[in-house]
Amino acid sequence: MQFDAPAGSNIFDDARIVGKSTPRIDGPNKVTGTAPYAYERHDVVADQAYGWIVGAGIAKGRITSMELTAAKAAPGVIAIVTAPDTQPVGKGMDNHAPLFGGSEITHYHQAIACVVAETFEQARAAAALIDTNYDRSTGSFDFDAVRASAPRSGEAETLGDFETAFAEAAVQIDETYTTPGQTHAMMEPLATIAAWDGDKLTLWTSNQMITWAKESLGDILGIDSANVRVDSPYVGGGFGGKLFIRADAVLAALASKAAKRPVKIMMQRPLVANNATHRQATHQRIRLGARMDGHITALSHQNWSYNVEGASGETATAQTAKVYAGANRLTAEYCATLDLPEGNAMRAPGEAVGHLALEVAMDELAEALGMDPIELRVVNEPDAVPGNPGKRFSDRNLVRCLREGADRFGWSERSATPAARREGRWLFGVGVAAGYRGAPTCKSGARVHLADGRIVVETDMTDIGTGTYTIIAQTAAEMMGVPLDHVTVTLGDSSFPASAGSGGQWGATSSTAGVYAACVALRRQIGEVLGFDADDARFEDGSIVAANKAFRLADAGTLSAEDTIRFGKFKKDYDVATYAGHFCEVAVDAYTGETHIRRMLAVCDAGRILNPLSARSQVIGAMVMAAGAALTEELTVDTRFGCFVNHDLAGYEVPVHADIPHQEVIFLDTLDEIVSPMKAKGVGELGICGPGAAIANAIYNATGIRVRDYPLTLDKYLDRLPAIA
Amino acid sequence: MKAFTYERATSPEQAAAAVAGRDGAKFIAGGTNLLDLMKLQIEAPTHLVDLQDLGLDKIDATRDGGLRIGALVTNTALASDDRVRAQYGVLTRAIVAGASGQLRNKATTAGNLLQRTRCPYFYDTNLPCNKRAPGSGCAAAEGFSRQLAVIGTSDQCIATYPGDMAIALRLLDATVETVMPDGTGRSIALADFHRLPGDQPWLDNTLAEGELIISVTLPKPIGGRHIYRKVRDRRSYAFALVSVAAVLHDDGTGRVAFGGVAHKPWRSEEAEALLPQGAGAVVERAFAGAAPTDDNKFKITLADRTLASVIAEARS
C-alpha cells in the first residue's frame, strides 16, 4: 500500500480498540517469566555452550601475544576464538569501530577473545587465565584538548545574516553548555545465542532492527545474508544500543562455528559501556539575539562532538532549525576524532542533549528580557519551518502543550525572581522547556492470517518494552472486527515480512500502518471469498456487514495476506514532528545543594495515541532518563587510559525510584493526517526532549544559580549556595 | 571466579583455625561484597569457610547497659531492633541509608564492617591499583577521584571506606570482639579497627590472619538527638559524597563522625569538642591536614555545610 496523500477520514476515526488504554497483551508473560529474553531461550536449540567475552585492557595499540595454554587446559573449555587468529570481520550497517579480528586495538574493552565452555562459570574462569600482552600506542582521548580543532561536519546551515543581526540585537545571550558521554544502561545487556546448520546461521538475539541485523550479519561474517535468520521476540530495552549488530552476536556466531555447537553469550555488564556504543559528549555554544518584545532576530547553535574515524558526532543542533522563529540563523556541527569507543544512537540522538542547551538558553533569554519563559516561546512560534521556510508543519500544537501544561501545573504561581521560595532548608523552583522530536516513518510490512475467525499477525517488528505487541493487536482487531483476544501477534523473526523496526520513534506508527495495509488486503480476500465489496464493508464482532448483508468472519475459512506500507514523496513538503511542554518542580537543599525532583509534567502532542497506557509508560520512562541526564549520568573518561572508568551500574548512576516521586503525562487529542493512515506519531523519544532542561531551569528558579555543565551535580554550585549561619 | 573449596564452620574457634591454617582461605557470611569481588577475580580465595551455622545472630543486653550484637545479625535485623531504634537511632538511620533492601537482608554486622574500602580503579583489573595489585600504582590519585578520600590518604591509595553502618558505630564508641585461631579473644575499639592506607593499602583493617569477629558491642546509650545525613548524587543505592553521623545534646555538645571522606570512618574527638562553636570550627579541626584532589576538594565544603544542616536540624 502506498501512502501518497493525507489520510482523510478512515476506520480509525471511529475506532473502538485503537486509541483506548489497553494493558499490554504480553504483560502476563513478562511478569510470570514466560516472555523469554535472548539469553533465556534454553529450548530453541539443544546443547548450548557458554561464551565469555574478553575485552582489551588497553585503548589503543596492538596485541603482541596471547598465552592460551592455561585457558585451553581449564576445566570445561571447548574452544577459544582470539582476535589475532581471526581475520577482521566486515562492517555492518552504521558500524564504525571494529567488531572483532586482527591484532589492532582501537578502543578500550574491544573484544579480543571469546572463551567457550560447558558452563558459564568455567568460561569466565578460563577467560581470566588468558595472558595478553600489548604494544601500547598513544591515543587521543581528551575531547577538551582536541575540540577547538575539530573540523566542521557537513555544511553550516545559514539563513539571512546572523552575525549582523546578533550584533544589532537589543538583547543577546551567548552561552556555552556541555553534556557528558552517556551509556544506554538498558536492563538486558547485549545477548545472543548462535547456532549453525551447515552454512545456515540462526541468531536468537536482542535487537531493535531485524532486517538491518540480518543484512549486516551477511556483511560482517562474509556470508550470504539469505542464510541468516535472526529472532528477537523480546528485547529488554535498547535505547538505540541494539539498533546494530555488536560483538555479542559476532562472537556467538564465530564461537559457535569453532565449538561446533550452539553458543550463548551475554555481554557482561562492566564491558557494555566501553565495548558497545555510547552517546558522545557535546560542547554547545548558543547565541540568541532578540528584540525587547521577545522576537528572536538572530539564532545560532554550534555543536562540537567527537567520534571514531569516519563517524558523526552527537548532533545536538538537530532540533534547532525547527523550534523557534528567527530570520537570521547559523547552525553548525563540528566533529573531532578520538580513540574512545564508538559513539552511536541513543534515545533521541542529538535532540536529547540539544534540548539541554537550547531550552536553557531560552530560559536565560526570557530572564534577560524580563519575560515569562512560556510567553517567550509563544512569541517565537513559527508559521513555517524556521530554518527551511519552504516547508510546512504537518500539525503542530506546541503552544497548546505549553498553555495547557501551565494551567495543569500551576505555572502562574511561579516566582519570576529566582531563589524567592524557601521552606526550611529547601529552596523551591519550577522550570519549563519545550520539546521537539521529529516523527519519521519507514516502510513496514506484515502478514495476517485468518483461521476460525481468529487472526495471527506476523512481522519482524520488535517490542523493546514499548508495547508494540499490544498496538499491533489493537490495529488488527480493529481492522478485522474481532476482540483483542482473538489476535495473536508474533514479532521479531526475520522470516516474517520486513518492518520498520524500533528506532527513531518511527516504530509505532509505521508498523501499525503496515499491519493496517496487510489487513486491508486480507479484508479484500475475505470479500472475494464471501462475495462482498470489502472496501465498503464493516467488520465488527466477528461479523461483516456489506451492502445490507451480513456475513460471518469464520465462514471465510483460512486465508493469508501480506502487504507493506510505503510512504510517498508528498510528505517531503512537511515537517512531521511531535511536540511537548515539559514542566518540573524541584527542591534544592540550601545547605548541601542536593536536588530533589518534586513533580514532573509532560503535555505531549503526538497525533493519535494508539494506546495511552503504554504511551504514557514510554513518556514517563523517557522523563526518568532525562532526569538522569540532567542530574547524575556521566561516563567519566580517564584520558590517560582512554576508557570510561565508571563502567558499571554502581558507578554510572541512573535514577532510582526515590529520585522520581511524581510524574504526570497528558496527551493532546490531535491527529496528524500527513504522518500515516494511523494519524499517530511516536512518543518514545519526545519524552526525553526537554525534561532535563525543565529540571535545570527549575534549579535556577530555586537557587538563582545557573550551571551549564551537565550533569548538575552539587559540587558544581556548592560554593554559590546561600551562606550558612 | 577461581574454583574454591568450601566448608561450613561448626564453631567460631574452628572457623578461625580453618582460615588461619590454610593459604588463601576466607570467611564468608552474607557474601554481598565478597562474591561480587570473586566474580571479577579481585578476590580469589582458594577456600571458603561459611559461618552461617554459627548462630551469632542475637542482640543481647550487656551488664553495663549496652548491647552486644552478634556478628551474623543482618543489617535489616539490626536496624529494625526496637532497642537500637529507640536508643541508638543514628545506627538505624545509617544502616537504612546504605545499599538496598535486598542487600541489607543478606548483609551481616561483621561483614558490613569488612566490606572492602574501594575505588573505581580497584574494580577494573586492567588498571593500576595498589590495593588490588600492590606496587602497580594508584590510578586514582591523578584520575577520577570525585568520590574518593580527602584526608588520611597516602601516595599509595586514596580509596574511601564506603559503608554507613561503621560511621555510626564509630560515633557510638563500639568495640569489636574477636576470636583468634588459638582460641583466645580480644576486643578492638572501632576507632582502631579500620586503618589508613599508608604504604600497605591492601590492608583495610587490623584483624590478624584467621581472626574472626564474633560480636560488636555498643556501650550504654548516651541520649541526645541522633542524626545521620548522607549526601549523595541520587537518593538511594549510592555511596556518600559525605555523610555525617551525629549525636547532639541540648547544651550544644555532642559527637560527630564523617563518612565518605577517608579510608576509614572519620571522627576526631578534639574536633567534636568544638561543636558548641558550630560546624565551621569542627570541620576545620577534623579536616586539618586534608589532602584533597581538585575533583574532591568540594567534600570539605560539603562536610561543613552538611554538619551545619545537622546542627540546625538538632536545634529545631
Side-chain angles (χ1 to χ4, degrees):
Chain A
M1 180 186 287
Q2 194 72 22
F3 184 63
D4 269 335
S9 67
N10 65 26
I11 181 172
F12 302 109
D13 296 327
D14 301 308
R16 302 196 301 174
I17 302 171
V18 167
K20 303 293 183 286
S21 275
T22 306
R24 32 184 103 212
I25 59 172
D26 50 328
N29 300 97
K30 288 201 164 151
V31 298
T32 56
T34 52
Y37 292 86
Y39 201 73
E40 306 168 327
R41 301 192 69 186
H42 315 299
D43 57 342
V44 290
V45 59
D47 212 20
Q48 299 173 17
Y50 291 81
W52 177 266
I53 303 173
V54 180
I58 66 165
K60 192 169 173 64
R62 289 183 65 77
I63 298 169
T64 53
S65 69
M66 280 182 102
E67 177 50 55
L68 302 174
T69 311
K72 280 183 176 166
V77 171
I78 299 163
I80 302 177
V81 178
T82 69
D85 288 337
T86 305
Q87 278 294 316
V89 298
K91 292 275 171 73
M93 190 170 166
D94 208 358
N95 160 214
H96 304 282
L99 290 169
F100 193 69
S103 294
E104 203 73 32
I105 302 298
T106 70
H107 68 89
Y108 194 71
H109 277 170
Q110 177 179 323
I112 58 170
C114 178
V115 178
V116 182
E118 296 290 345
T119 71
F120 170 82
E121 289 78 9
Q122 289 170 333
R124 183 176 59 186
L129 297 171
I130 297 176
D131 184 18
T132 306
N133 290 297
Y134 303 96
D135 183 6
R136 234 179 243 268
S137 44
T138 311
S140 176
F141 309 118
D142 187 346
F143 177 44
D144 286 336
V146 301
R147 189 186 65 238
S149 58
R152 202 175 61 218
S153 48
E155 292 298 305
E157 292 177 18
T158 59
L159 204 64
D161 178 356
F162 168 77
E163 297 293 348
T164 303
F166 183 68
E168 291 172 354
V171 176
Q172 299 165 337
I173 294 293
D174 181 355
E175 296 293 351
T176 297
Y177 308 84
T178 58
T179 64
Q182 297 168 353
T183 182
H184 306 82
M186 68 292 261
M187 281 176 71
E188 180 203 27
L190 301 146
T192 301
I193 301 171
W196 293 86
D197 178 8
D199 56 2
K200 293 197 185 312
L201 172 66
T202 304
L203 291 184
W204 295 273
T205 188
S206 183
N207 194 288
Q208 301 174 224
M209 304 295 300
I210 301 307
T211 304
W212 296 357
K214 180 181 162 93
E215 286 168 13
S216 289
L217 281 159
D219 295 335
I220 291 166
L221 299 173
I223 60 176
D224 183 351
S225 66
N227 286 332
V228 179
R229 183 184 155 221
V230 176
D231 189 33
S232 182
Y234 297 103
V235 178
F239 309 119
K242 294 174 181 169
L243 285 171
F244 310 108
I245 291 296
R246 295 294 162 206
D248 60 306
V250 177
L251 285 171
L254 296 177
S256 172
K257 184 144 253 181
K260 301 184 177 62
R261 272 171 72 168
V263 169
K264 59 162 40 176
I265 294 176
M266 178 172 279
M267 188 180 292
Q268 54 267 38
R269 179 69 72 183
L271 229 56
V272 174
N274 284 285
N275 177 283
T277 59
H278 69 287
R279 189 201 298 279
Q280 308 98 295
T282 68
H283 177 102
Q284 305 177 46
R285 182 186 184 194
I286 294 185
R287 285 174 289 171
L288 301 173
R291 303 195 316 230
M292 288 310 296
D293 63 4
H295 282 96
I296 296 171
T297 54
L299 192 161
S300 171
H301 190 172
Q302 291 162 286
N303 175 54
W304 287 260
S305 186
Y306 64 85
N307 211 336
V308 299
E309 188 76 47
S312 63
E314 177 74 19
T315 53
T317 64
Q319 69 291 318
T320 304
K322 315 289 180 63
V323 189
Y324 299 116
N328 303 287
R329 312 175 75 92
L330 166 63
T331 304
E333 292 278 349
Y334 306 82
C335 183
T337 299
L338 288 178
D339 298 306
L340 289 173
E342 177 179 333
N344 210 315
M346 181 168 148
R347 202 173 198 171
E351 288 134 324
V353 290
H355 281 74
L356 288 172
L358 180 64
E359 288 303 293
V360 173
M362 287 297 284
D363 204 62
E364 302 204 46
L365 178 61
E367 184 174 44
L369 288 161
M371 267 181 92
D372 181 277
I374 292 176
E375 295 312 314
L376 174 65
R377 288 171 170 91
V378 171
V379 163
N380 287 292
E381 176 69 8
D383 299 325
V385 177
N388 185 0
K391 218 167 180 176
R392 284 175 286 165
F393 291 108
S394 59
D395 186 53
R396 171 172 167 134
N397 302 281
L398 175 59
V399 171
R400 258 188 77 194
C401 292
L402 292 165
R403 293 260 192 247
E404 292 187 23
D407 286 347
R408 185 70 165 235
F409 196 72
W411 183 254
S412 60
E413 287 164 38
R414 165 185 181 265
S415 164
T417 310
R421 192 176 147 216
R422 179 166 179 166
E423 292 171 25
R425 64 183 224 242
W426 296 103
L427 303 166
F428 285 84
V430 294
V432 67
Y436 170 96
R437 175 64 172 93
T441 42
C442 303
K443 71 174 181 178
S444 195
R447 194 183 296 136
V448 280
H449 303 286
L450 169 69
D452 300 327
R454 290 174 170 268
I455 305 294
V456 175
V457 184
E458 294 173 345
T459 165
D460 84 358
M461 181 61 191
T462 50
D463 187 325
I464 61 172
T466 43
T468 314
Y469 278 101
T470 309
I471 56 173
I472 284 180
Q474 289 173 274
T475 305
E478 192 80 53
M479 285 297 293
M480 303 314 301
V482 297
L484 203 62
D485 64 5
H486 279 44
V487 180
T488 303
V489 179
T490 51
L491 300 180
D493 188 329
S494 62
S495 66
F496 297 154
S499 75
S502 297
Q505 82 170 15
W506 62 62
T509 196
S510 304
S511 68
T512 52
V515 171
Y516 162 74
C519 287
V520 168
L522 182 61
R523 284 164 62 124
R524 287 176 184 160
Q525 281 193 31
I526 295 165
E528 283 171 25
V529 168
L530 298 180
F532 61 82
D533 176 4
D535 292 350
D536 204 26
R538 219 168 63 242
F539 287 61
E540 253 174 42
D541 302 326
S543 303
I544 302 146
V545 179
N548 293 325
K549 283 166 70 180
F551 305 87
R552 278 166 33 91
L553 186 64
D555 293 342
T558 301
L559 294 170
S560 293
E562 180 178 334
D563 200 4
T564 294
I565 189 87
R566 291 181 172 79
F567 297 94
K569 289 200 175 76
F570 84 101
K571 293 182 73 170
K572 292 191 191 312
D573 296 338
Y574 300 90
D575 188 66
V576 186
T578 59
Y579 306 89
H582 290 289
F583 296 79
C584 181
E585 181 180 43
V586 300
V588 179
D589 189 313
Y591 286 91
T592 64
E594 292 158 282
T595 295
H596 290 182
I597 292 171
R598 292 300 174 112
R599 55 198 177 104
M600 302 174 83
L601 166 68
V603 181
C604 301
D605 167 31
R608 170 173 286 123
I609 301 302
L610 300 167
N611 180 359
L613 195 61
S614 55
R616 175 182 178 277
S617 291
Q618 279 196 280
V619 175
I620 66 173
M623 290 158 76
V624 171
M625 215 163 179
L631 296 176
T632 57
E633 293 182 39
E634 173 171 20
L635 282 173
T636 303
V637 181
D638 188 312
T639 57
R640 303 163 304 167
F641 301 106
C643 65
F644 302 126
V645 187
N646 52 336
H647 50 63
D648 60 31
L649 294 182
Y652 184 86
E653 293 187 11
V654 300
V656 295
H657 281 94
D659 293 314
I660 312 288
H662 181 80
Q663 296 175 296
E664 198 176 348
V665 180
I666 294 167
F667 295 109
L668 298 186
D669 56 344
T670 56
L671 297 172
D672 193 322
E673 303 259 345
I674 306 300
V675 65
S676 87
M678 312 306 293
K679 306 179 191 176
K681 297 179 277 198
V683 296
E685 301 194 349
L686 176 64
I688 197 174
C689 294
I695 293 166
N697 294 335
I699 291 174
Y700 177 76
N701 185 244
T703 62
I705 301 168
R706 189 75 75 177
V707 179
R708 302 180 184 87
D709 175 25
Y710 293 95
L712 309 181
T713 50
L714 59 89
D715 47 305
K716 294 173 182 169
Y717 53 87
L718 196 58
D719 57 358
R720 291 150 74 188
L721 288 168
I724 52 174
Chain B
M1 188 186 282
K2 285 190 176 166
F4 55 88
T5 52
Y6 172 87
E7 71 174 282
R8 301 269 281 251
T10 52
S11 73
E13 293 74 13
Q14 183 265 328
V19 166
R22 197 157 173 169
D23 272 353
K26 273 193 172 294
F27 302 115
I28 185 164
T32 57
N33 188 215
L34 180 61
L35 288 174
D36 281 358
L37 292 168
M38 286 170 65
K39 290 173 188 171
L40 296 167
Q41 224 156 290
I42 293 164
E43 296 274 10
T46 56
H47 183 68
L48 286 181
V49 177
D50 189 331
L51 308 174
Q52 66 176 297
D53 299 333
L54 300 187
L56 304 178
D57 58 352
K58 303 286 185 298
I59 303 173
D60 298 313
T62 61
R63 262 183 287 173
D64 54 1
L67 290 177
R68 180 171 294 117
I69 304 155
L72 299 180
V73 171
T74 67
N75 291 175
T76 298
L78 179 57
S80 56
D81 183 272
D82 286 343
R83 295 160 294 180
V84 174
R85 290 175 56 172
Q87 297 179 308
Y88 304 94
V90 66
L91 179 57
T92 290
R93 293 185 178 111
I95 291 170
V96 300
S100 64
Q102 294 95 324
L103 286 168
R104 294 193 298 267
N105 286 341
K106 195 72 191 156
T108 64
T109 303
N112 189 322
L113 289 175
L114 295 175
Q115 64 179 301
R116 294 302 309 266
T117 294
R118 52 200 194 253
C119 152
Y121 296 96
F122 178 69
Y123 268 77
D124 189 332
T125 52
N126 294 314
L127 302 179
C129 171
N130 289 320
K131 183 180 282 292
R132 170 172 38 76
S136 62
C138 174
E142 291 176 14
F144 175 44
S145 60
R146 182 172 174 272
Q147 289 271 358
L148 302 180
V150 296
I151 192 161
T153 55
S154 74
D155 57 4
Q156 297 269 310
C157 181
I158 62 169
T160 338
Y161 180 75
D164 294 293
M165 183 191 81
I167 314 302
L169 291 179
R170 172 72 183 91
L171 186 83
L172 295 168
D173 285 333
T175 53
V176 177
E177 288 83 38
T178 68
V179 59
M180 294 289 191
D182 65 2
T184 61
R186 67 166 172 159
S187 177
I188 308 168
L190 204 89
D192 303 322
F193 183 83
H194 294 102
R195 58 186 298 287
L196 293 177
D199 54 8
Q200 291 181 299
W202 53 93
L203 298 178
D204 291 346
N205 57 60
T206 54
L207 290 175
E209 193 65 32
E211 186 174 6
L212 174 70
I213 299 173
I214 52 170
S215 60
V216 174
T217 297
L218 296 173
K220 69 179 185 198
I222 56 169
R225 290 282 303 267
H226 287 229
I227 298 173
Y228 189 79
R229 282 285 299 282
K230 181 176 182 178
V231 181
R232 44 185 158 176
D233 290 321
R234 65 179 172 191
R235 294 176 71 182
S236 179
Y237 202 62
F239 293 139
L241 296 168
V242 165
S243 68
V244 171
V247 173
L248 299 172
H249 302 293
D250 290 344
D251 64 0
T253 64
R255 300 180 185 182
V256 59
F258 297 92
V261 295
H263 200 266
K264 59 187 284 187
W266 197 252
R267 177 179 171 205
S268 157
E269 282 80 351
E270 274 177 41
E272 73 191 16
L274 304 175
L275 269 169
Q277 296 175 36
V282 174
V283 168
E284 193 179 339
R285 181 69 64 90
F287 288 87
T293 65
D294 281 350
D295 279 358
N296 68 23
K297 62 183 185 229
F298 76 93
K299 286 191 174 194
I300 297 171
T301 310
L302 184 59
D304 183 14
R305 298 186 69 98
T306 307
L307 179 57
S309 177
V310 164
I311 292 170
E313 182 185 333
R315 283 190 189 137
S316 67

